[in-house]
Amino acid sequence: MGAQEEAAKLKARGNKCFANHEWLDAIDYYTKAVDLYDQDPSFYCNRAQANIKLEQYGYAIADATKAIELDPKYTKAYYRRAVANGAILQSRQALKDFKAAVRLEPQNQDAKLKLAECEKMVKRIEFQRAIAVEDEPSAFEGLDIDSVAVEPDYDGARLAHEMTQDFIDDMITRFKNGKKLHRKYVYQIIAAVRKIVYQEPTMVEMEVQKGHKLTVCGDTHGQFFDLLEIFRLNGFPSESHYYLFNGDFVDRGSWSTEIALLLYAYKWLHPKAFFLNRGNHETDDMNRVYGFEGECKAKYTERVFKLFSESFSALPLATLIGKQYFTLHGGLFSDDKISLDDVRKLNRHKQRQPGQQGLMMEMLWTDPQPMPGRGPSKRGVGLQFGPDVTKRFCEANGLKAVIRSHEVRMEGYEVEHDGHCITVFSAPKYCDSTENKGAYINIGPDYKLEYHKFDAVPHPDIKPMAYAQNSLMSMMM
C-alpha cells in the first residue's frame, strides 16, 4: 500500500474520532496523515475543523491556508478559515473568505447566509468604533436603585441592603426553575460587587488559614447546572470554605447571567473569602460575539450588560495563594523581566478592555506549550510560553507553580512544565459537544493541591450560544 492510501486510512480514522467528539485524537490522526502524504488539502482542512472545536483558531487558520495553497478552489477551506478568523474577531479577514466561498459556489445557501451575517458583524463593529468615546460616562451614573419598585406580586425573596444566605438560596431555586431576579436586585448585586472588587488590588494576596480550605475553579462559561454540581460535591462557599473562580464565568453557555449573579452574590456575602479573577471572556468584544450581551438584553436590559461590563473591568487580574501559587486566567508574559511586582503595580483601572498587547492582554490570553521558549499563539491571539519560561518565572518570584485556566482539558485539569504550570477547567462536556470532565482544586493550610474531577449533569434543553447575536459562531459548536 502506498503512502497516499495509508494516509487516507488515517484520515478516515480521524473522521471517526471527530464524529465522536474526540477532537485531540482526530488531530493526531490528521497529523499522521499529513506526515505520510502532505499534498492532500482535505487532511489540512479536516484538521482545521478539529482545531476550531478546540478553540485553536491560529492553528486552524494555518491549516486552512495550507489547504487553499494546495487547492485554491477548495470552498470548505475558505469557509473554515473564515470561521476561525471570525472567532478571534478578525471580521474583515473572515469577510474576504466568505466572499471567496460564495464566488466559488454561488448556489451554496449556507455560505451566502454566513456572508450576509459577517457583513452585518463588520458594520456593527465599525459602528461601535465610530460612536465610542474615550471617557464614556459610568453606566451607574443616574442609576437610582432605591427608586426602583418591586411589584407586590414578585414571588421571590426580598433583598434589603445586605446580601443574605437566604436570598442566595432562593436565587438558586429561582434560577433552577427558569425564573429571573427582579431588576432592582440585579442592579443592587452588580453595584455592590463592583464597589468591592474595584477596591481590591490588581493581584489579590491571600492565605489559607488553619481550619479553612480554598477551592480553585476554572472556566464555567455559563454552565450553571454544572456550577451547582461543584457546590453539591464540594460544599457551598462560607467564611471557612473559600472559593476562587479563575475567569470566564460567562459566554457560550446559556445561563451566563445566572452564573454571574450567583458568583457576585457570594462575593457580596463573603467579600474576604470569595475571590474572582477576570478572564478573557469578561470583556466587551467577546461578550458581544459569544452570547453574554445578548443574554443580558433578552433576560434583563441593555443597561444590565453595561453594568456588568463596567464591573468586569474592575475585577482583579490575579490571585497569589499563600505566596506559592500565582493564579490567573491565561498565563505568563512575553518578557522574562516581568515579575509579581509588575503585576502588583499594574493599574487595571486605566484600561477597561485588554486590547491587543500589554500585560493585561497576556494575563488573559496566553497559553503553555510543551517546547521551550515562546511561540505564536495557537489561538491567533497572544502567545505561548514553554517550560523554561515557567521555571524561570517561578524561581525568580519564589513560587511553586502557576495555576491557570483558559483551555479545555479532557480530564478537567493538567499538570505541565515539570509541575510548575497547572491548568484547571470547570465546564464539563464543554458547549455540550466536547467529552471532557470538569475539575476543581482544593487547597488547605498546608498548600498541597488536591484535584477533583466531575462529570456534567443534565440541564434544560437550551443550546449553547442561544443568545449569540448571529449564527456564525454556531459553526464552532
Side-chain angles (χ1 to χ4, degrees):
M1 183 183 295
Q4 188 173 352
E5 292 173 301
E6 185 64 34
K9 286 191 171 184
L10 289 166
K11 172 193 166 182
R13 293 176 74 178
N15 290 348
K16 187 174 181 180
C17 289
F18 187 92
N20 292 330
H21 298 177
E22 296 164 353
W23 320 127
L24 286 170
D25 290 339
I27 286 173
D28 187 47
Y29 282 118
Y30 297 143
T31 300
K32 288 175 179 175
V34 166
D35 290 342
L36 271 180
Y37 182 74
D38 62 3
Q39 296 302 302
D40 188 326
S42 70
F43 298 169
Y44 297 96
C45 194
N46 286 19
R47 190 169 67 179
Q49 182 67 353
N51 275 312
I52 286 170
K53 292 292 186 180
L54 287 172
E55 300 182 17
Q56 298 179 164
Y57 303 119
Y59 288 173
I61 290 166
D63 275 338
T65 300
K66 181 64 178 178
I68 291 165
E69 288 173 1
L70 291 169
D71 181 359
K73 294 184 178 180
Y74 196 177
T75 306
K76 194 177 289 186
Y78 287 102
Y79 194 94
R80 287 176 178 169
R81 190 168 69 177
V83 171
N85 269 311
I88 57 174
L89 312 183
Q90 298 296 327
S91 302
R92 285 204 161 277
Q93 288 89 328
L95 187 60
K96 288 179 184 177
D97 282 336
F98 280 129
K99 286 180 177 178
V102 171
R103 276 197 306 271
L104 288 166
E105 292 186 15
Q107 304 308 313
N108 187 325
Q109 294 303 314
D110 191 50
K112 289 168 74 173
L113 174 64
K114 296 302 185 291
L115 171 59
E117 290 178 341
C118 192
E119 287 173 334
K120 288 180 186 176
M121 184 187 294
V122 169
K123 288 178 182 177
R124 184 170 182 242
I125 290 169
E126 289 179 348
F127 175 73
Q128 287 165 343
R129 284 175 181 162
I131 65 172
V133 293
E134 197 152 316
D135 295 315
E136 188 175 350
S138 169
F140 293 92
E141 190 175 304
L143 179 62
D144 185 0
I145 298 175
D146 290 337
S147 70
V148 180
V150 179
E151 294 76 12
D153 61 350
Y154 178 70
D155 62 351
R158 273 14 189 203
L159 179 63
H161 296 290
E162 296 294 335
M163 182 54 63
T164 66
Q165 187 62 57
D166 286 344
F167 186 87
I168 291 177
D169 293 342
D170 181 74
M171 178 195 300
I172 291 172
T173 301
R174 291 185 69 77
F175 290 164
K176 286 168 68 176
N177 293 331
K179 295 183 177 181
K180 298 180 292 186
L181 286 186
H182 194 280
R183 63 189 174 91
K184 175 171 184 169
Y185 302 145
V186 173
Y187 294 157
Q188 278 184 272
I189 291 168
I190 302 173
V193 173
R194 192 260 179 188
K195 183 177 180 181
I196 292 168
V197 299
Y198 190 94
Q199 294 170 349
E200 291 181 326
T202 295
M203 182 176 72
V204 173
E205 302 184 44
M206 58 85 62
E207 308 281 336
V208 183
Q209 306 296 330
K210 186 177 180 181
H212 295 59
K213 75 173 177 179
L214 166 69
T215 299
V216 180
C217 298
D219 306 34
T220 51
H221 272 305
Q223 296 184 198
F224 176 71
F225 294 88
D226 296 316
L227 171 63
L228 295 186
E229 179 70 355
I230 295 174
F231 292 151
R232 186 189 73 82
L233 293 169
N234 193 53
F236 285 82
S238 70
E239 288 297 312
S240 60
H241 187 171
Y242 308 149
Y243 270 86
L244 165 59
F245 283 85
N246 196 29
D248 282 14
F249 328 126
V250 302
D251 279 339
R252 294 192 176 275
S254 295
W255 290 271
S256 291
T257 56
E258 286 81 0
I259 283 191
L261 288 167
L262 180 56
L263 297 184
Y264 271 28
Y266 274 122
K267 179 64 180 176
W268 189 5
L269 184 64
H270 304 297
K272 301 296 184 184
F274 195 90
F275 306 94
L276 299 170
N277 285 343
R278 189 180 189 179
N280 68 303
H281 276 269
E282 280 71 56
T283 56
D284 286 356
D285 52 0
M286 302 300 279
N287 294 159
R288 289 187 176 119
V289 172
Y290 287 93
F292 185 61
E293 181 185 41
E295 185 179 335
C296 286
K297 290 178 179 178
K299 293 179 180 177
Y300 297 101
T301 64
E302 183 176 8
R303 187 168 201 169
V304 166
F305 170 68
K306 290 182 176 179
L307 295 173
F308 266 125
S309 169
E310 197 165 329
S311 72
F312 288 165
S313 70
L315 289 168
L317 301 177
T319 301
L320 182 61
I321 302 169
K323 299 183 177 62
Q324 298 182 44
Y325 300 105
F326 179 53
T327 309
L328 74 171
H329 181 71
L332 296 180
F333 311 101
S334 56
D335 187 345
D336 276 347
K337 295 178 183 176
I338 300 299
S339 69
L340 292 183
D341 277 339
D342 292 303
V343 178
R344 289 185 181 101
K345 293 171 187 174
L346 178 62
N347 184 352
R348 69 192 188 279
H349 302 309
K350 275 188 174 181
Q351 181 184 344
R352 281 191 56 187
Q353 303 301 322
Q356 297 296 311
Q357 59 186 0
L359 286 191
M360 185 187 296
M361 183 279 290
E362 292 178 357
M363 293 176 74
L364 298 182
W365 276 100
T366 61
D367 296 294
Q369 64 180 23
M371 64 287 289
R374 293 178 173 87
S377 172
K378 60 189 173 188
R379 298 174 186 271
V381 182
L383 58 97
Q384 295 186 149
F385 57 94
D388 55 330
V389 175
T390 308
K391 182 180 180 183
R392 288 193 297 270
F393 182 83
C394 288
E395 288 176 348
N397 293 279
L399 300 169
K400 281 189 176 179
V402 174
I403 299 176
R404 41 90 64 182
S405 301
H406 194 39
E407 290 182 279
V408 177
R409 290 294 189 261
M410 297 310 292
E411 292 301 309
Y413 74 96
E414 186 174 1
V415 181
E416 303 169 84
H417 293 186
D418 299 317
H420 295 304
C421 183
I422 297 151
T423 299
V424 59
F425 191 83
S426 303
K429 201 169 185 182
Y430 181 45
C431 292
D432 289 351
S433 65
T434 302
E435 299 301 326
N436 64 294
K437 294 184 181 296
Y440 51 88
I441 306 170
N442 282 333
I443 306 174
D446 59 0
Y447 294 103
K448 292 181 179 177
L449 306 184
E450 295 180 2
Y451 301 98
H452 297 267
K453 298 186 286 187
F454 67 102
D455 293 316
V457 295
H459 61 70
D461 188 20
I462 301 174
K463 302 301 181 188
M465 302 287 288
Y467 300 96
Q469 294 301 303
N470 59 66
S471 64
L472 275 177
M473 297 300 110
S474 68
M475 292 183 290
M476 298 180 295
M477 306 308 289

